Amino acid sequence: MTKVLNSNFLAGSEKSHEPRLVGDILSEMFSSDSPLARGYRHHQTVYPNTEPCIDLKLLTRQPGRLPVGDYIDGAITRDDEDHFLFIENATDKKRNEALQRNPHVYEGVYININRKPDGTLYPTFNRPRFDERFTCRDFCHGAAEELLQVVNGSVIGLGEEK
């Protein structure tokens, strides 16, 4: 397919579903008055602003300069006429370092088995979505089968001794 150089000419035919240029389809879609196009134009408004000759201070969790092309999460504030301050967001780092309070040692369809800090295991039920084909009775049968698998030892990796 060759690129159409005349911007007034639509590539392909809309009636016969022939190939069209993606740019033409997108520009036609986003220039319409549909709710999707209006919402896209409203939320995609960006105002570029270049601040020449400024002083920028970065407060980051790692020493040294920020690598080229690297992104860090944080907030930037303008605290003087020509001075900006960036502070890295540390909550993401803390979230990754936190241990789960009672981790799952088995995740099933109907039940999960968790381990307390003292090493004991306890089951919890998953919350199913009931409808005409899957009732509370079906859920109870499935949960009972999974509990029996755990008790009989066919679930490996629980680490509880008899």
Side-chain angles (χ1 to χ4, degrees):
M1 177 166 67
T2 61
K3 183 171 180 174
V4 178
L5 299 177
N6 183 357
S7 62
N8 296 329
F9 179 75
L10 291 175
S13 170
E14 294 179 28
K15 294 179 183 172
S16 64
H17 302 290
E18 292 176 0
R20 296 177 58 198
L21 297 175
V22 173
D24 291 341
I25 296 170
L26 289 175
S27 64
E28 181 181 318
M29 183 178 77
F30 290 129
S31 65
S32 71
D33 199 32
S34 70
L36 173 69
R38 285 190 310 239
Y40 177 80
R41 286 191 300 269
H42 176 71
H43 289 290
Q44 293 299 325
T45 304
V46 177
Y47 301 103
N49 187 16
T50 303
E51 296 284 340
C53 305
I54 63 160
D55 181 22
L56 174 63
K57 178 131 186 141
L58 301 175
L59 297 178
T60 61
R61 297 187 57 138
Q62 300 294 324
R65 296 183 74 184
L66 183 66
V68 175
D70 200 9
Y71 291 95
I72 54 176
D73 189 27
I76 190 166
T77 59
R78 183 177 183 182
D79 53 1
D80 198 6
E81 180 62 31
D82 292 328
H83 188 267
F84 291 82
L85 175 66
F86 175 83
I87 301 173
E88 183 177 359
N89 187 1
T91 57
D92 191 17
K93 304 275 183 185
K94 289 180 184 175
R95 190 178 309 123
N96 291 339
E97 295 168 2
L99 293 175
Q100 188 177 355
R101 191 176 74 184
N102 291 337
H104 295 300
V105 293
Y106 170 74
E107 292 185 24
V109 176
Y110 304 101
I111 66 165
N112 294 330
I113 304 293
N114 300 341
R115 183 183 309 278
K116 290 183 182 178
D118 64 0
T120 58
L121 301 175
Y122 66 96
T124 59
F125 292 101
N126 295 331
R127 294 186 181 198
R129 186 165 280 185
F130 296 120
D131 57 20
E132 296 82 26
R133 291 177 288 152
F134 186 74
T135 63
C136 181
R137 183 183 183 109
D138 299 325
F139 175 78
C140 290
H141 281 287
E145 288 177 11
E146 279 191 6
L147 284 168
L148 287 173
Q149 289 176 353
V150 170
V151 169
N152 293 333
S154 61
V155 175
I156 300 172
L158 294 181
E160 185 176 72
E161 298 182 22
K162 295 179 181 179

